[in-house]
Amino acid sequence: QVDLVESGGGSVETGGSLRLSCAASGRIFSTYAMGWFRQAPGKEYDFVATLSASGSDPNYADSVKGRFTISRDNAKNTMSLQMTGLKPEDTAIYYCAARPPWYGDRRDDPNSYAYWGQGTQVTVSS
């Protein structure tokens, strides 16, 4: 079992930056791949970024590539998403999620992630 808690959301203007954090409980955090997803009102979950258990091999959605950076600190059981150059279309609730190796192997598919945080709102105004 892994409990995830996101923080760092807020409201910014176009071009602004935010840093989201995800704090995880559980000693096996370092064995799970982690990801960020987002959900805009009335839409399904969209993949944002993912990172392997070791912190290597970051992967990003095309829509955020070059603007967002995912990272993790296994010693502190935390994961972050640095967001720059924010656009109104980035407005959504952002979720961190954990993907155990036994649960799913598609890193961009929310169905491959077993544990989810409660989400944090990001609003970008034009």
Side-chain angles (χ1 to χ4, degrees):
Q1 178 69 32
V2 175
D3 293 323
L4 304 172
V5 179
E6 302 95 337
S7 61
S11 298
V12 297
E13 296 184 346
T14 297
S17 299
L18 284 173
R19 185 178 180 87
L20 305 184
S21 296
C22 176
S25 66
R27 292 178 293 175
I28 54 177
F29 170 80
S30 63
T31 66
Y32 291 176
M34 296 294 295
W36 288 97
F37 290 81
R38 64 188 182 186
Q39 188 177 33
K43 295 188 177 181
E44 297 183 349
Y45 287 103
D46 279 341
F47 165 71
V48 176
T50 188
L51 198 58
S52 67
S54 66
S56 63
D57 192 27
N59 185 254
Y60 299 93
D62 289 341
S63 59
V64 307
K65 201 170 294 182
R67 300 188 296 122
F68 291 9
T69 302
I70 188 173
S71 62
R72 66 189 294 167
D73 185 337
N74 285 343
K76 297 181 179 179
N77 275 16
T78 59
M79 177 178 68
S80 296
L81 185 70
Q82 179 67 47
M83 306 186 295
T84 63
L86 284 162
K87 305 175 182 180
E89 51 263 44
D90 294 319
T91 295
I93 299 174
Y94 283 69
Y95 298 88
C96 69
R99 181 166 64 89
W102 45 264
Y103 197 82
D105 57 6
R106 286 194 55 187
R107 55 186 179 180
D108 62 346
D109 185 353
N111 293 314
S112 292
Y113 291 75
Y115 305 107
W116 292 77
Q118 84 289 347
T120 185
Q121 177 71 47
V122 171
T123 303
V124 185
S125 59
S126 58

